[in-house]
Amino acid sequence: MGDPIQLKEEGNKHFQAGDIDKAIECYTKAIKVCQDKKVLAVIYRNRSACYLKKENYVNAASDATKAIDVDAKDIKALYRRCQALEKLGKLDMAFKDVQRCATLEPKNKAFLETLRRLGAEIQSKLKTTFSTDSRVQNMFDILFDEESEKDKKEKAANNLIVLSREDAGAERIFQNNGVTLLLNMIETGKPEMILAAVRTLSGMCTGHKARVSHGACKVKLSEIALAACNLFQCINDSLTGGDTREYGKEADLVMDPSKDLKTILLSLLEMVASKKVSGHGRDQALNLLSKNVPRKEKKEMDHSKSLFTIDHGLKKILKVCGQVPELPDQLPLTENTQLIASVLLNKLYDDLKCDPERNNFRDICDEYIKYVHETFNMDKTIHAINCISGLLQGPFDVGNALVGRQGIMEMMVALCGSEREVDQMVAVEALIHASSKMSRASFIITNGVSLLKDIYKKTKNEKIKIRALVGLCKLGSAGGDDYSLRQFAEGSTEKLAKQCRKWLCNPQIDTKTRKWAIEGLAYLTNDADVKDDFVDDEPAMQAMFELAKSRDKTILYAVACILVNCTNSYEKKEILPELVQLAKFSKQHVPEQHPKDKKDFVDKRVKRLLKAGVTSALVVMVKAENIILTDQTKEMLARVFLALSEDPRDRGTIVAQGGGKALIPLALEGTEAGKVKASHVIAKIAAISNPEIAFPGERVYEVIRPLVNLLHTDREGMQNYEALRGLTNLAGFSEKLRVKIVKEKALSEIENYMFEENEQIRLAATECMCNLVTCKEVQDRYLEDGNDKLKLLVLLCGEDDDKLQIAAAGALAMITAAQKKLCTKMTLVTSQWLEILQRLCLHSNVQVQHRGLVIVYNMLNSDNSDLAKKLIESELLEILSVVGRAEDNPKRQEAIDAARTCLVKAMDLGLIKPFASPS
C-alpha cells in the first residue's frame, strides 16, 4: 500500500506532463488508501480535472461533487463541476455552481464570463422550449379536432414526426404528456392517425432509454405495420445498445434494460399467435424476432434471448406454421407468413450451443405435435401435419425426426386418400417436404407414388393437382443430376416438366398455385433434358421472372434452384479417373454425367437466360427482405451471377440491367462461399468496365472490400488474378479510390503477389502497383528503409516479359518523379540498376523505352549532382545521343522527345556541351 500524499504528488507530476491516464491511476490508488477527509477531497478534485481532460464528464461531475461534500466552498471543485454539468447539458445546475463561484470571488473574470454566457444560453433555451411547447400542443389540438381540414391534419402529423426526430423536440413531446396523446391517436382506429402516432413514437424512442415505453401495435395496414416494426426496432436498439450514436447528456442515466427487453419479447410473441393481429402485423413481429433474438455472431456468448423465446414462444411460432387458411377459425396470414416462421425456427435452433438445449427444442416440438395430433380431431391432425411441414422447411433435423416417429409417415399417406380436398392438399405438401432425404423418398416411391398419380388424375381441384404433380416431380428427381439414378422411366420427367410449364404460363391460375409449378421445376431441372426444354420455352422463363418480381417472396428459393440447375453452377465434386476405375472394380455406384450437361450445352443455356432478361429478375430478388432471402438463397444467386459472367462479352449486359449494384450486398452478407463467388463476379466486372457505370455513385467505394478479400492466399489463383485486375482498373480511376484501396490494407497483399511465380498474377499485381504509386501513402512505403519494395520494382524492369517491364518501369518512372530521394535510393538497392536502366533505354518496344528514358530524366533532375554525373559518364550518354538524334517518327516520337529532354537537362547541369559546327 502506498502513501496517499506521495501518490497524489506523483499524480500531479503526471498531470503536468500531460500523461492523464497515469495521473488518474495514481489518484485512484491514493483514494483507496487515504483516510484524511480533507486530503481525500483534494484528490477527488484533482481526479475531476483529469476526467475533464478525458471528456468523461459524468465522472468529472461525480468526483467534484465528492470534494464539495467535504468543503462546500471548494471553489476549484465547484467550477470543475460547473464545466462538467455544462457539457452534460444541465445548464441550470451549472449556472448555480458558477453563481456560487462568482459570490466567493466576485472579481474573477472567468467566473463572470461563464455566468453571463450560461445565463444567455438558459434564456435562449427557455424561449425555444416555450415556443416548442406551444407548437406541440397546437399540433395535437389540430389532430384531435374533428372539424379540422384534412390538409391541416396531414401537415400537423408530418410536423410532429419531424419534431420527434430532433432531440429537443422529442423531449418537449415527452414532457407535454405526448405519449398518452399518441396512444390516444392509435386508439382512434384511423389509419392515418395510427401511422403518424407510430412514426412519432419511433422518433422519440430512437437512442433514448429514458423515453422508451411501448405497447403492442395491433394494426391492419402493411405501411402501419412497417412503421410499428420500426418503432419496436428503435426501442430494442436503444435498450440493447444497437444504436451506437452518442447522447452525452444521457450518459449519466443508468438503467437495467433486461426487464423492458423481456416485455418486448413477450409482446411480440403474443402478437405472433393473436387473432387480433393482421397478417402484415404478424409478419413484422416474426421479422423482428428473427432479426433481434438470435446472435449476430456465433462468437458472442450470450444467447439468453433465444432460450427465453424458445421457452415462452416456441409453441406460438409452431401454431403459425400449422395454420391451414382453408379451414375455419385460422389466424390472418400473408403469403409469406409461414415461410418467415420456418426461417425463425431455423435461426433459433441454429443459435443453440449444446445437445441438451437442442433436445429441449425437439421435446417442445414433439410435445406440441403429440398434443395436437392426439386430440382425435381431423382439423387438429392436419394442423399437426402442416406444422411438421413448417419444421421441414426450417430446422430440417427436427422435422425429419418427427416424420420418423411411428405412424406419422403412414398418416401422411393415408390423408392423401381422404375425401376432403384440404386434407389431400396438406398431406401432399408434407410428403413433398418430407422426401428431401433419399430414404424418405424411397419410402414414398414404394408407398405413395401410385397414390399421388391417382390424386393427380382424379382430382378436379387445380391446387391439389399441382401439388400432387410437384410430389411426383420431387420423387422423380431424387437421384439429383446423376444420370444413372433416374427414378422414373425415360421421358416421364419431361412430361411432368411440360405440365408444370403449362401451369406456370397460365395467368388464369392464382399465384400460389403457379408458385407450386416453379417448385416442381426446381426439382425436375436436375435433369438436363428438362433444363434444355425450359430455356427453350421463353414464355415459361418470362412467367417465372415475373413471379420472382411479385410480392410473394416465398418463391425465391425455388427460382434460385432452377437458375442454379440450368447454369450448372451448383457445387461439383471433382471425380478422379483412378477412383472411378476403383469403384467399377469393386462394383460400387459411379455417378454419370448427362450428355447435355457438357460445357457447350451449358453455355447455350446461359445465353438464352441472359436474352430472356434473367439479370433484371436477379436484381429484384436480391432486394427482398433478409428474413426470406436466406444466406443459402443468396449463395445460389451469387453462383448464378458467376455462371452468367463467364463470357466477358456478357458482362456489359449484366451491368446494363443493374447487376453491378445488386452484387455488392451478396458480396458483403451471406455464407462464406456465397460472398466469395459474388466478389469474384464483381472482380470480373470491375476489371473491364467503367466503374462509374458499373457501380454508380458511392457504391464504387463498397466494391473495394470484396475485391481485397479475394486477395487472401486461401482463395483460388483465378480469384486472386481477377481481383488484382479489378483493383488495377479502380486504382487508375481516381485518387479517392486509391486511398480507399490503401485503407482496406490491400498493399501488403498486392506486394506479395509481385513475388508470385505465376506470371499472370505477378503481372496483374505489378500493374496494380503501377496505378497505386501516385498515392502519397504508397510513396511513403517505398521511402521507408529496411524493405525490398524498390529493389523488386527495379529487378522486375529487367525481366524479359514486355508487359511486366511496361508495368514495373511505369511505376518506377512515376514514383521517382514524385519522390526525388528514391532516385538515389534506387542506386543503392541493387548493383544491377545501371545495366537494367540501359536495357530499358535500348528496348525495341517503344513503351518500355519511353519509360526507361523518363526514369533517366528523373534521376538527372533529382538534385543529386554525383548521380547525374555518373549517368552521363556511363554508356547512357551514347544511348541518349543515338535516340535523340534520330529522325522524327510518329511511332517512336515519345521516346525520341524524352531522350532529347534528357540531353537538354544534362546541358543545363553543365555535364555536356552543345555540339558546335566548325567555323
Side-chain angles (χ1 to χ4, degrees):
M1 301 293 282
D3 176 24
I5 303 294
Q6 187 180 341
L7 286 167
K8 178 175 80 73
E9 293 302 324
E10 282 181 26
N12 293 347
K13 287 178 184 175
H14 288 307
F15 183 83
Q16 288 162 8
D19 194 342
I20 307 301
D21 289 330
K22 283 276 181 69
I24 290 173
E25 190 181 324
C26 289
Y27 291 141
T28 303
K29 286 178 181 176
I31 287 166
K32 288 178 182 177
V33 296
C34 186
Q35 303 295 322
D36 188 326
K37 283 190 176 180
K38 288 187 178 180
V39 175
L40 191 61
V42 173
I43 298 170
Y44 272 123
R45 186 180 71 197
N46 290 359
R47 195 171 72 169
S48 176
C50 292
Y51 283 132
L52 277 174
K53 289 274 188 186
K54 297 289 286 183
E55 298 182 8
N56 187 339
Y57 302 119
V58 175
N59 285 347
S62 176
D63 276 4
T65 300
K66 287 170 185 172
I68 294 163
D69 287 344
V70 176
D71 180 3
K73 293 183 180 180
D74 188 335
I75 202 162
K76 287 185 179 179
L78 281 166
Y79 191 61
R80 282 168 193 168
R81 188 169 73 175
C82 162
Q83 291 174 299
L85 289 170
E86 182 186 355
K87 292 293 185 182
L88 290 169
K90 302 183 184 298
L91 300 183
D92 51 344
M93 294 169 69
F95 184 81
K96 286 177 185 177
D97 279 347
V98 77
Q99 203 171 33
R100 288 172 68 189
C101 291
T103 304
L104 293 167
E105 286 188 17
K107 294 183 180 180
N108 188 310
K109 290 182 180 179
F111 295 160
L112 293 172
E113 173 58 27
T114 306
L115 191 66
R116 185 199 62 74
R117 180 169 49 78
L118 287 177
E121 283 183 27
I122 289 168
Q123 288 299 318
S124 174
K125 190 175 180 183
L126 284 171
K127 189 177 177 182
T128 306
T129 299
F130 288 132
S131 170
T132 306
D133 285 349
S134 61
R135 282 170 59 205
V136 168
Q137 192 56 52
N138 187 39
M139 288 172 208
F140 279 118
D141 289 344
I142 293 169
L143 288 167
F144 283 110
D145 185 359
E146 293 293 336
E147 296 179 4
S148 291
E149 295 174 12
K150 188 180 178 183
D151 289 348
K152 274 190 175 182
K153 282 192 173 186
E154 283 181 5
K155 190 175 180 182
N158 288 333
N159 286 342
L160 204 59
I161 294 163
V162 170
L163 201 62
S164 72
R165 290 171 183 166
E166 298 169 4
D167 196 49
E171 188 63 28
R172 298 326 306 155
I173 297 171
F174 186 74
Q175 295 294 344
N176 281 277
N177 199 31
V179 175
T180 304
L181 292 170
L182 289 167
L183 293 175
N184 289 342
M185 285 172 65
I186 291 172
E187 286 169 9
T188 62
K190 295 177 181 177
E192 64 276 9
M193 295 279 272
I194 297 171
L195 186 57
V198 171
R199 284 179 173 167
T200 304
L201 282 167
S202 295
M204 289 171 63
C205 292
T206 301
H208 205 300
K209 289 184 182 181
R211 290 196 291 264
V212 165
S213 62
H214 99 113
C217 296
K218 299 169 183 179
V219 290
K220 294 183 179 179
L221 298 179
S222 59
E223 192 176 1
I224 299 175
L226 193 60
C229 172
N230 183 52
L231 167 60
F232 273 113
Q233 191 61 57
C234 290
I235 293 169
N236 182 79
D237 287 349
S238 296
L239 293 175
T240 59
D243 187 324
T244 55
R245 287 175 286 178
E246 289 185 17
Y247 296 85
K249 64 177 85 173
E250 295 301 324
D252 57 337
L253 181 61
V254 179
M255 192 173 160
D256 179 14
S258 57
K259 186 179 176 183
D260 292 316
L261 287 169
K262 284 180 181 177
T263 307
I264 291 174
L265 282 178
L266 288 171
S267 297
L268 289 172
L269 291 169
E270 193 66 35
M271 288 175 69
V272 163
S274 172
K275 286 186 181 178
K276 295 179 183 177
V277 177
S278 69
H280 290 294
R282 202 177 319 283
D283 284 1
Q284 296 302 342
L286 289 164
N287 280 337
L288 280 164
L289 289 166
S290 194
K291 183 177 180 181
N292 295 297
V293 171
R295 291 168 292 166
K296 300 284 188 296
E297 299 283 343
K298 287 291 181 280
K299 57 188 174 187
E300 292 174 24
M301 297 305 295
D302 184 16
H303 70 318
S304 57
K305 285 190 285 186
S306 289
L307 297 177
F308 182 85
T309 303
I310 290 165
D311 289 340
H312 293 84
L314 181 53
K315 289 183 180 178
K316 291 173 181 174
I317 302 166
L318 290 170
K319 182 180 178 181
V320 175
C321 287
Q323 296 299 295
V324 182
E326 290 77 9
L327 292 178
D329 200 31
Q330 300 294 295
L331 298 175
L333 306 174
T334 70
E335 59 270 17
N336 297 324
T337 306
Q338 287 172 299
L339 179 62
I340 296 171
S342 293
V343 171
L344 173 56
L345 288 172
N346 192 51
K347 286 191 171 187
L348 290 172
Y349 186 73
D350 193 44
D351 199 41
L352 300 178
K353 292 182 179 178
C354 57
D355 288 342
E357 290 175 358
R358 294 186 192 94
N359 291 338
N360 177 54
F361 187 100
R362 291 191 198 100
D363 291 343
I364 294 172
C365 293
D366 193 34
E367 182 186 326
Y368 181 80
I369 298 297
K370 196 184 294 182
Y371 169 75
V372 175
H373 179 49
E374 291 177 357
T375 53
F376 302 105
N377 178 312
M378 186 54 77
D379 287 357
K380 295 286 186 184
T381 299
I382 62 170
H383 174 86
I385 298 298
N386 212 31
C387 188
I388 292 173
S389 283
L391 285 164
L392 287 165
Q393 292 175 81
F396 183 83
D397 291 344
V398 178
N400 195 45
L402 289 170
V403 171
R405 281 186 62 222
Q406 189 174 2
I408 294 290
M409 186 65 82
E410 288 77 7
M411 174 61 74
M412 289 181 189
V413 174
L415 281 172
C416 289
S418 170
E419 292 180 4
R420 284 204 314 177
E421 290 182 337
V422 68
D423 297 347
Q424 294 178 23
M425 189 164 64
V426 170
V428 171
E429 281 189 29
L431 284 173
I432 292 167
H433 297 307
S435 56
S436 293
K437 286 271 184 181
M438 189 69 180
S439 57
R440 301 273 172 239
S442 302
F443 173 89
I444 298 165
I445 288 168
T446 307
N447 299 280
V449 169
S450 57
L451 194 57
L452 288 172
K453 285 181 179 177
D454 202 40
I455 293 171
Y456 176 70
K457 288 174 184 175
K458 291 180 180 178
T459 186
K460 293 179 181 177
N461 186 321
E462 290 284 319
K463 293 180 180 180
I464 296 173
K465 188 183 278 281
I466 197 165
R467 283 164 173 78
L469 178 67
V470 172
L472 291 169
C473 292
K474 189 167 186 179
L475 297 173
S477 65
D481 66 343
D482 187 347
Y483 188 50
S484 63
L485 281 181
R486 285 189 164 197
Q487 300 292 325
F488 295 157
E490 187 80 30
S492 296
T493 50
E494 287 93 314
K495 288 177 184 175
L496 291 172
K498 188 176 180 182
Q499 184 58 53
C500 284
R501 296 202 310 274
K502 184 179 173 183
W503 267 317
L504 178 58
C505 295
N506 187 350
Q508 305 301 319
I509 298 175
D510 67 280
T511 303
K512 195 169 183 181
T513 305
R514 291 169 71 201
K515 180 190 83 173
W516 279 99
I518 292 179
E519 290 278 352
L521 287 167
Y523 299 124
L524 292 175
T525 46
N526 278 311
D527 187 303
D529 288 317
V530 175
K531 298 177 198 180
D532 259 29
D533 292 344
F534 179 71
V535 295
D536 283 338
D537 190 343
E538 191 159 330
M541 284 196 289
Q542 292 295 343
M544 182 180 78
F545 296 156
E546 287 306 312
L547 281 175
K549 297 173 186 178
S550 70
R551 285 178 60 189
D552 184 354
K553 299 302 179 186
T554 58
I555 204 170
L556 296 184
Y557 185 80
V559 173
C561 284
I562 291 171
L563 295 175
V564 165
N565 289 339
C566 288
T567 56
N568 279 38
S569 51
Y570 40 77
E571 198 71 51
K572 292 182 277 288
K573 289 182 181 178
E574 189 180 349
I575 301 172
L576 298 172
E578 297 85 355
L579 291 178
V580 172
Q581 294 299 323
L582 187 62
K584 285 180 179 177
F585 179 76
S586 58
K587 297 183 179 178
Q588 297 294 314
H589 171 70
V590 180
E592 292 179 25
Q593 186 186 41
H594 194 291
K596 289 185 178 178
D597 271 333
K598 291 180 179 174
K599 191 175 184 308
D600 52 342
F601 283 95
V602 175
D603 291 344
K604 285 176 187 174
R605 291 201 290 267
V606 166
K607 298 289 183 189
R608 285 173 189 154
L609 284 167
L610 281 165
K611 188 180 176 184
V614 66
T615 307
S616 59
L618 288 169
V619 170
V620 174
M621 290 166 74
V622 170
K623 291 177 183 174
E625 285 184 78
N626 261 358
I627 307 303
I628 291 177
L629 189 68
T630 60
D631 288 348
Q632 288 73 25
T633 309
K634 288 179 190 173
E635 182 182 328
M636 288 197 288
L637 296 180
R639 288 179 180 278
V640 175
F641 267 119
L642 187 58
L644 297 175
S645 64
E646 279 302 316
D647 188 339
R649 291 170 296 183
D650 294 329
R651 293 172 199 170
T653 306
I654 294 170
V655 169
Q657 294 178 8
K661 53 189 176 187
L663 282 159
I664 295 171
L666 293 178
L668 297 174
E669 299 172 359
T671 64
E672 192 58 33
K675 289 191 287 187
V676 168
K677 290 185 186 305
S679 300
H680 194 182
V681 187
I682 288 174
K684 286 174 178 285
I685 291 171
I688 62 170
S689 305
N690 181 336
E692 272 188 330
I693 297 170
F695 313 103
E698 295 297 308
R699 289 190 186 90
V700 70
Y701 299 103
E702 296 177 53
V703 166
I704 306 291
R705 183 168 297 170
L707 295 184
V708 174
N709 288 340
L710 282 185
L711 297 181
H712 294 167
T713 51
D714 56 347
R715 304 283 181 249
E716 294 174 10
M718 183 54 74
Q719 292 169 348
N720 299 150
Y721 171 70
E722 302 212 80
L724 287 165
R725 289 189 64 217
L727 288 169
T728 302
N729 194 18
L730 293 170
F733 192 73
S734 76
E735 180 64 18
K736 276 188 176 181
L737 283 168
R738 288 191 282 274
V739 170
K740 177 69 174 170
I741 292 169
V742 173
K743 280 186 178 177
E744 290 293 339
K745 299 178 180 176
L747 280 181
S748 56
E749 299 282 3
I750 296 166
E751 287 162 354
N752 288 340
Y753 286 117
M754 290 171 71
F755 288 95
E756 177 66 42
E757 288 183 12
N758 183 293
E759 291 180 3
Q760 285 184 303
I761 293 177
R762 183 173 55 172
L763 171 62
T766 309
E767 287 175 341
C768 189
M769 187 57 72
C770 179
N771 283 356
L772 285 170
V773 291
T774 57
C775 183
K776 182 70 170 59
E777 289 185 45
V778 179
Q779 294 168 11
D780 290 343
R781 286 170 72 95
Y782 276 88
L783 283 167
E784 290 171 4
D785 292 327
N787 63 65
D788 290 332
K789 294 178 177 60
L790 190 63
K791 180 180 180 179
L792 177 62
L793 265 187
V794 176
L795 293 176
L796 288 175
C797 291
E799 293 289 323
D800 292 332
D801 183 346
D802 283 11
K803 288 181 180 178
L804 185 61
Q805 284 183 300
I806 289 169
L812 204 54
M814 286 189 282
I815 204 167
T816 51
Q819 298 291 341
K820 292 182 178 181
K821 290 180 181 177
L822 289 175
C823 295
T824 305
K825 186 177 179 181
M826 180 181 148
T827 64
L828 304 174
V829 293
T830 173
S831 57
Q832 300 173 44
W833 69 272
L834 187 57
E835 181 189 340
I836 290 170
L837 198 55
Q838 289 171 353
R839 284 178 60 195
L840 290 177
C841 295
L842 287 169
H843 208 286
S844 58
N845 185 317
V846 69
Q847 292 186 57
V848 178
Q849 185 181 35
H850 175 238
R851 284 159 174 74
L853 292 164
V854 170
I855 296 167
V856 172
Y857 175 80
N858 292 339
M859 297 177 84
L860 290 170
N861 193 41
S862 66
D863 302 332
N864 184 336
S865 55
D866 291 339
L867 174 59
K869 189 177 179 183
K870 187 171 185 178
L871 287 172
I872 296 304
E873 288 176 352
S874 72
E875 293 176 5
L876 267 174
L877 177 60
E878 188 178 341
I879 295 168
L880 291 172
S881 301
V882 171
V883 177
R885 286 175 182 170
E887 292 183 8
D888 288 355
N889 180 347
K891 291 182 179 179
R892 307 191 68 86
Q893 196 60 43
E894 283 185 335
I896 294 167
D897 289 344
R900 290 171 181 173
T901 306
C902 289
L903 291 168
V904 170
K905 184 65 183 176
M907 283 189 284
D908 291 344
L909 293 170
L911 297 173
I912 58 172
K913 293 179 181 178
F915 177 77
S917 55
S919 55

